[in-house]
Amino acid sequence: MMIENVVGRFSLPLGIGANFLIDGLDYLIPMAVEEPSVVAAVSSAALLARTAGGFYTGSTDPVMIAQIQVLDLADMGKAKRAILASREEILACADTSPSLSRLGGGPQGIEVRDLPDTPAGPMLIVHLMIDCRDAMGANAANTSAEAVAPLIEQISGGRVGLRILSNLSDRRRAWAEVEIPAKAFESDDFPGREVIQGIAEANAFAVADPYRATTHNKGIFNGVDAVLLATGNDWRAVEAGAHAWAARDGQYRALTDWHVRGCGDFETLYGRLELPLAVGTVGGATRSHASAGVALKILGLDVEGQGRIAPESRGSAGGAEVGSDRRGARRLSEIVAVVGLAQNLAALRALATTGIQKGHMRLHARQVAVAAGAGGEAVERIAGQLIAEGSIRVERAKELLRQ
Ligand code: MEV
């Protein structure tokens, strides 16, 4: 039983994001999402990127932060120095998971931050840095924070309040990059150079304006959340961390960078997404939810699995990394970053050219037909008729169904 007071199950469609080439490896990416066109759009962006060599990724060590709030300090400076001087003792006390330490993880360091002017008066915040390996790490971080609290009180002479992880997991980040020639964007209606210029301008808009940045980043999370959900990960934690990261310089901004490189016939569009990604491939729902286990298998991230080698990279350095770094939570975070970048590319490409409504119309019409009670072949027929009439309403779909 995963939660309390259960009265049923609430299921979502599980789709496959296709065409992904990531660091020379092929991936099929499970995505659980209710919004039409998300999976189709990301798959078409992945196909575009594939023609240019696909996506490249990276990530930091999977280090989470646990916070310990210390109040009632007579001398903040003295308490801070005493805590920092007891670093080794605190780290040893925080080392509560033998299995994490055996895998090379566990507490790695401490930081002490001053909050001299809060509504409740001054306080010190101790950060424990904990390498959580393949776990999301909320349990490990919270257990360590609770374990060291009495020691921190003893060392600082203060009173400990909260002991909890921070979802601003800014030490645990992943990034994805892509570079695609302008000519790959060419269509009958739009020259490739105009399209990539439009995408760069759209990104600049979202860098400068929080109203646009919110929608821009929402589009990124269409993809990110769908993979997190499919793999049993805590998407609220990732959302909270990434939105705080997006506002790290004091203004909420786009999480991506898209700009034009080169000139003339050699113009390319370069894109990058970096964000905090606290995800796990062990623990929590990743293993207790049967479908999440299958999703991890499809990704080749289950413990016994491995990323599949793309034909074009067999025998190359890309393939050689399979089975080492290419498994577990870090790899999942890199794949999630790629999906976020690809989802954003699809949205910006549509917005910078025909707009998104054209592509959405058929999917929307299908949903309306289903909502009106259509099934089987009738869905397509009624959706087609609604589009032809230029009026996509449930009432009209019901009339058509009755006829
Ligand atoms: C819709 O779910 C997402 C978009 O609004 C994202 C964007 O505007 O970049 C299309």
Side-chain angles (χ1 to χ4, degrees):
M1 195 60 68
M2 295 173 79
I3 65 160
E4 310 72 38
N5 299 357
V6 173
V7 293
R9 286 171 190 271
F10 184 96
S11 60
L12 285 174
L14 180 69
I16 293 286
N19 307 321
F20 281 90
L21 181 63
I22 307 176
D23 303 311
L25 300 172
D26 279 326
Y27 285 91
L28 293 171
I29 304 189
M31 300 174 73
V33 61
E34 88 298 346
E35 186 172 324
S37 90
V38 165
V39 176
V42 86
S43 302
S44 80
L47 186 59
L48 188 67
R50 190 179 186 87
T51 61
F55 298 91
Y56 288 89
T57 68
S59 56
T60 63
D61 280 333
V63 174
M64 296 295 282
I65 297 169
Q67 298 193 292
I68 300 132
Q69 178 194 29
V70 193
L71 307 112
D72 299 346
L73 290 165
D75 184 336
M76 299 260 287
K78 193 168 157 212
K80 187 171 183 174
R81 285 192 296 279
I83 292 168
L84 289 172
S86 307
R87 180 183 185 277
E88 296 310 320
E89 195 186 347
I90 294 169
L91 289 180
C93 178
D95 195 359
T96 52
S97 167
S99 56
L100 207 51
S101 310
R102 218 177 21 253
L103 293 167
Q108 310 283 309
I110 62 171
E111 278 176 2
V112 185
R113 295 170 51 237
D114 284 331
L115 296 182
D117 190 22
T118 81
M123 53 187 81
L124 276 188
I125 310 300
V126 180
H127 280 188
L128 285 176
M129 313 300 183
I130 302 165
D131 184 322
C132 294
R133 300 282 92 189
D134 287 330
M136 184 273 189
N139 276 329
N142 295 341
T143 305
S144 293
E146 291 188 7
V148 299
L151 179 61
I152 301 269
E153 284 191 336
Q154 191 193 319
I155 295 167
S156 66
R159 171 176 61 90
V160 164
L162 268 56
R163 300 143 294 162
I164 184 77
L165 91 162
S166 170
N167 284 126
L168 177 49
S169 49
D170 58 1
R171 314 301 156 92
R172 188 177 191 178
R173 302 186 311 277
W175 51 89
E177 293 174 289
V178 70
E179 188 162 0
I180 307 172
K183 62 178 179 305
F185 290 85
E186 199 90 31
S187 69
D188 291 344
D189 300 326
F190 297 95
R193 289 178 67 185
E194 229 170 73
V195 179
I196 65 171
Q197 186 64 37
I199 291 172
E201 286 165 0
N203 198 83
F205 178 12
V207 167
D209 176 19
Y211 287 92
R212 174 56 204 154
T214 307
T215 324
H216 179 101
N217 291 344
K218 186 274 181 185
I220 293 172
F221 278 96
N222 278 345
V224 166
D225 286 352
V227 186
L228 297 177
L229 203 49
T231 55
N233 273 282
D234 183 345
W235 77 98
R236 288 89 57 211
V238 173
E239 285 255 6
H243 293 303
W245 169 258
R248 65 194 177 282
D249 72 359
Q251 185 186 313
Y252 187 82
R253 298 180 191 281
L255 286 162
T256 48
D257 169 29
W258 289 103
H259 61 259
V260 175
R261 282 180 168 173
C263 56
D265 287 347
F266 300 102
E267 267 187 9
T268 62
L269 178 71
Y270 167 82
R272 186 174 202 280
L273 168 65
E274 178 167 349
L275 72 169
L277 268 162
V279 297
T281 52
V282 297
T286 60
R287 294 299 156 123
S288 62
H289 191 289
S291 303
V294 172
L296 290 174
K297 266 210 171 77
I298 293 171
L299 287 168
L301 297 173
D302 52 321
V303 175
E304 279 79 40
Q306 57 178 27
R308 271 160 302 137
I309 305 172
E312 54 266 53
S313 66
R314 277 202 182 101
S316 73
E321 290 187 71
V322 170
S324 51
D325 293 333
R326 298 302 182 211
R327 284 194 270 169
R330 274 184 71 169
R331 188 55 172 163
L332 177 58
S333 70
E334 292 163 356
I335 291 168
V336 170
V338 165
V339 173
L341 186 64
Q343 201 76 59
N344 182 240
L345 174 60
L348 297 191
R349 185 189 191 193
L351 289 167
T353 54
T354 50
I356 58 159
Q357 283 312 90
K358 197 174 166 209
H360 274 201
M361 221 37 103
R362 174 153 291 274
L363 291 158
H364 176 54
R366 275 193 208 135
Q367 259 191 344
V368 167
V370 171
E377 281 175 23
V379 174
E380 280 307 316
R381 226 176 21 249
I382 290 176
Q385 183 67 25
L386 292 173
I387 292 169
E389 291 176 6
S391 157
I392 302 178
R393 291 181 303 111
V394 178
E395 285 317 309
R396 178 64 187 141
K398 282 184 178 161
E399 265 172 41
L400 291 170
L401 196 60
R402 273 196 298 275
Q403 283 166 21

